Each structure stands twice: as structure tokens, then as C-alpha cells.
Amino acid sequence: MPVAASAIYFLNLRGDVLINRLYRDDVGGNMVDAFRMHIMQTKELGTCPVRQIGGCSFFYMRISNVYIVIVVSTNANVACAFKFVVEAVALFKSYFGGAFDEDAIRNNFVLIYELLDEIMDFGYPQNLSPEILKLYITQEGVRSPFSSKPSERPAPNATLQVTGAVGWRREGLAYKKNEVFLDIVESVNLLMSSKGSVLRCDVTGKILMKCFLSGMPDLKLGLNDKIGLEKEAQLKSRPTKSGKTIELDDVTFHQCVNLTRFNSEKTVSFVPPDGEFELMKYRITEGVNLPFRVLPTIKDLGRTRMEVNVKVKSVFGAKMFALGVVIKVPVPKQTAKASFQVTSGRAKYNASIDCLVWK
């Protein structure tokens, strides 16, 4: 795998270096000056997150009021570098009580240096799991006064979690009441033409779990669908079933899922991490039933006036209901005044986002 980082810098909005760590000697310590001069001062931060200056490449991302910059001079894995930044920020937030900003970095710079030495070695990412690192880096960060997240005190022994097969769960967990919570969150992405025909429609979903189980349980989750990863020969040999089936595309699992058993038995078998985690993500492109139909009509009444008529029709069953329905109608930026007539709910003109918001 190509290297992910030769050096990493944490900068504030003025360009001052808060924390930096050099992992390789192929880049100089003054690389941050080139980033500050050629990118920050030219106000090109929002154009592209990857820039090449001289013989070095800069990958940067803004989190709150902090810029995280990764510098490399070789053929680097860009996706791995940005994934490392996202996972590292989640790790820092778990230590700091959910806050990651300039103040949190200044108050916890000793802990951050210790974590940076553990999560990356010679430019290659290592273990970034908060559950594992908290087992042998027991120093607590300075938490924000607004954070109400309780501090965790795990067991000091971390040998099995670091080197064993089940690195996402520690042994010895015990609960008086074993509980498992499962939530399915889906979002529908739809592109429709002006005549009402559907141009593109897909559903992205994820399964969220929260487990409070004792010991090392082995859970199984069955799916009443046909997975899009199956071979065509298996589909042809399988007898047709009554009822509708769902084809899942682009299925992504948590590292705890046994992929071998999933490929053979089509069941999601896993030893769950303790607490809340994302079990799987998927995408559906066929057989999507839209919950609403939006029928807009726009008329120009002159150079400075226009009339917009929006009809919303629900197409789901009478036994189902929708909550928190919000419709945003974009308007020109020069709009000075808007009047409404709504059949139900209420509407207002939000000039900050240039939209008519109908709730």
C-alpha cells in the first residue's frame, strides 16, 4: 500500500501551527510555510482538497476551526489519507468528550502527541479504534465543560484486543440486562424531469446497532432479500418465491462481520462491538416506491415577478403517516418579497438560503 502521510499538521484559521508530527524524512519541516503562502493566503481552500506545490502534495480538511494538513512527497494513497483524518478526529472526540477545536487541541496536546505516535507508524496508519486505544492509553483528555458524556474506565489489559482476532471488543463485559437495539435509516435520492418522469432514483440506507451484551456473543441477522452480489447461476438455480424481493447494491459491512459466512449462507454473522456502531451500509436502485410526488408549476408574470404553484401528493398507504415534512422551493437571489397561500402548515421566505420553506 502506498504511504498515507509523511507529515501531519494541525493549523488554526490564521495558519499558526498547533501540533505537527513528522513521520518520514522525505519532507522538510518548513512545508507548512508553502501551504500557508500558496493556499491559505490565496483563499483557494474551498476549491480542491488536494494540491501539489513543488515536489510535495498537500491533503487538507477543515474540522471546526482547525485545518488538518497531510504532506507527502511520494505516490500516496489519497483515500487512505482522508480516511485516516476522519478516523483520527473521531478518536480525538472520544477522548475529549465530543469536542474537537482549537481549544481542545491546546488543552490536550500531550495526549494528542501520544495518540499520533500510536495511530501511525512511518507514514502507515495503524489501529484507530477508540475502544482498543483506551485500553492502554488511559490518560483522560480535558473535556469540554459542555460535554455530558461520562468517562469510561476500561480494563488495563489490552494484549488480546491489540493482537487477537476480535480487536473491536474487549473481554469481561457484563451487564445485568442484555439488550440490543437496531435502527434502519434510509434516504431517498430522486431526480425528476420537468414533465414528471423519474430520471434517477436510488435509496441509501444503513443499519445502526446499539449492543449491551455480556461476554462474547455471536449474533446473526437474516435478510429477507436477494443480495446483488450473488452470482447469476445461483439466482437461476433458486426457485422463484412469491412476494417482492429487494436487490441490495454496494453493500459495506463493519469489520466485525464474517464475510465468508455471508458469501456462503447470506446471513450477517458477527461479534458486535460494545455500544453503538454502524453494522452495514447499502444502496437500492430498483423497485423503489416513492413516498411523495411533487408537482411544481412556475409562471413568469414579468421581469420582476413570478408565480410558483407546488402540489404535494402522498403515494404511501393510508395506514402510514409522515412527520416533519419540509419542502424548500429555491428562488432567485434578488428576491425582495414573497407572499404565500398554503392549504396546510405554514411557509416563510428564508433569505439566507434563498428558499421558500414550507413546513
Side-chain angles (χ1 to χ4, degrees):
M1 181 184 69
V3 66
S6 297
I8 184 170
Y9 294 90
F10 293 79
L11 311 177
N12 59 12
L13 299 182
R14 298 187 302 271
D16 301 329
V17 179
L18 303 176
I19 284 180
N20 69 298
R21 173 65 74 197
L22 298 177
Y23 294 104
R24 305 167 71 94
D25 57 357
D26 54 353
V27 297
N30 58 348
M31 286 292 101
V32 68
D33 297 332
F35 175 81
R36 188 186 301 113
M37 181 181 304
H38 295 279
I39 299 179
M40 295 193 71
Q41 294 182 359
T42 57
K43 297 182 180 181
E44 295 182 0
L45 288 169
T47 57
C48 179
V50 180
R51 293 289 302 275
Q52 286 187 340
I53 302 175
C56 295
S57 300
F58 294 83
F59 315 141
Y60 56 92
M61 180 183 299
R62 177 176 175 177
I63 307 294
S64 184
N65 57 353
V66 177
Y67 284 103
I68 302 178
V69 184
I70 289 180
V71 186
V72 292
S73 64
T74 58
N75 183 19
N77 191 329
V78 181
C80 182
F82 282 116
K83 182 64 175 179
F84 170 80
V85 172
V86 173
E87 295 293 335
V89 171
L91 173 64
F92 296 148
K93 287 183 178 180
S94 67
Y95 271 92
F96 306 156
F100 181 80
D101 51 16
E102 183 177 354
D103 295 333
I105 292 177
R106 294 184 183 276
N107 295 332
N108 300 276
F109 68 93
V110 176
L111 177 59
I112 294 178
Y113 274 122
E114 186 175 0
L115 291 173
L116 289 177
D117 290 337
E118 294 292 339
I119 62 180
M120 181 167 283
D121 184 17
F122 197 59
Y124 297 97
Q126 305 298 314
N127 197 339
L128 287 98
S129 174
E131 293 80 7
I132 307 305
L133 291 171
K134 286 183 179 181
L135 296 178
Y136 57 93
I137 299 182
T138 58
Q139 178 181 348
E140 294 187 0
V142 179
R143 296 177 177 270
S144 171
F146 303 101
S147 174
S148 59
K149 186 177 181 180
S151 60
E152 302 175 359
R153 289 194 176 273
N157 187 12
T159 305
L160 178 62
Q161 282 70 36
V162 176
T163 61
V166 185
W168 53 87
R169 184 181 181 89
R170 60 186 177 91
E171 289 186 336
L173 293 175
Y175 292 96
K176 294 182 179 180
K177 185 178 180 181
N178 292 324
E179 295 178 320
V180 175
F181 302 93
L182 187 144
D183 293 324
I184 300 178
V185 182
E186 293 185 341
S187 61
V188 181
N189 305 311
L190 171 68
L191 179 62
M192 184 179 295
S193 66
S194 59
K195 297 181 180 180
S197 60
V198 178
L199 301 179
R200 186 179 70 247
C201 181
D202 64 275
V203 175
T204 57
K206 56 185 177 180
I207 298 180
L208 305 177
M209 294 193 68
K210 184 180 292 185
C211 296
F212 302 102
L213 301 175
S214 303
M216 301 289 285
D218 189 2
L219 304 184
K220 288 185 179 180
L221 178 65
L223 302 175
N224 57 342
D225 55 10
K226 56 179 182 180
I227 305 300
L229 301 177
E230 291 181 336
K231 297 181 180 179
E232 295 182 359
Q234 295 176 350
L235 291 176
K236 293 180 180 179
S237 62
R238 176 179 297 180
T240 57
K241 299 180 180 180
S242 60
K244 295 183 178 180
T245 58
I246 302 174
E247 294 187 7
L248 300 183
D249 302 324
D250 301 334
V251 183
T252 304
F253 293 104
H254 189 270
Q255 61 175 341
C256 65
V257 177
N258 189 336
L259 298 180
T260 304
R261 187 177 299 179
F262 174 77
N263 291 330
S264 60
E265 304 176 7
K266 298 306 173 185
T267 58
V268 183
S269 176
F270 58 98
V271 177
D274 187 44
E276 187 175 357
F277 67 99
E278 183 180 281
L279 178 62
M280 61 178 291
K281 295 187 295 185
Y282 58 89
R283 187 169 61 93
I284 303 174
T285 56
E286 296 182 0
V288 179
N289 296 325
L290 301 179
F292 298 98
R293 287 190 63 87
V294 181
L295 306 175
T297 303
I298 302 175
K299 297 181 180 179
D300 291 331
L301 304 181
R303 296 181 59 185
T304 60
R305 294 180 59 198
M306 63 184 301
E307 178 181 327
V308 179
N309 185 10
V310 180
K311 294 182 180 180
V312 183
K313 182 179 180 181
S314 61
V315 294
F316 47 81
K319 296 182 179 180
M320 302 179 64
F321 58 91
L323 297 175
V325 179
V326 179
I327 298 176
K328 296 181 180 180
V329 181
V331 297
K333 294 183 178 181
Q334 297 81 10
T335 302
K337 183 180 179 182
S339 59
F340 317 96
Q341 290 182 358
V342 295
T343 56
S344 61
R346 62 184 184 274
K348 67 177 181 179
Y349 169 54
N350 192 340
S352 60
I353 57 176
D354 298 319
C355 283
L356 306 178
V357 182
W358 179 17
K359 297 182 180 180

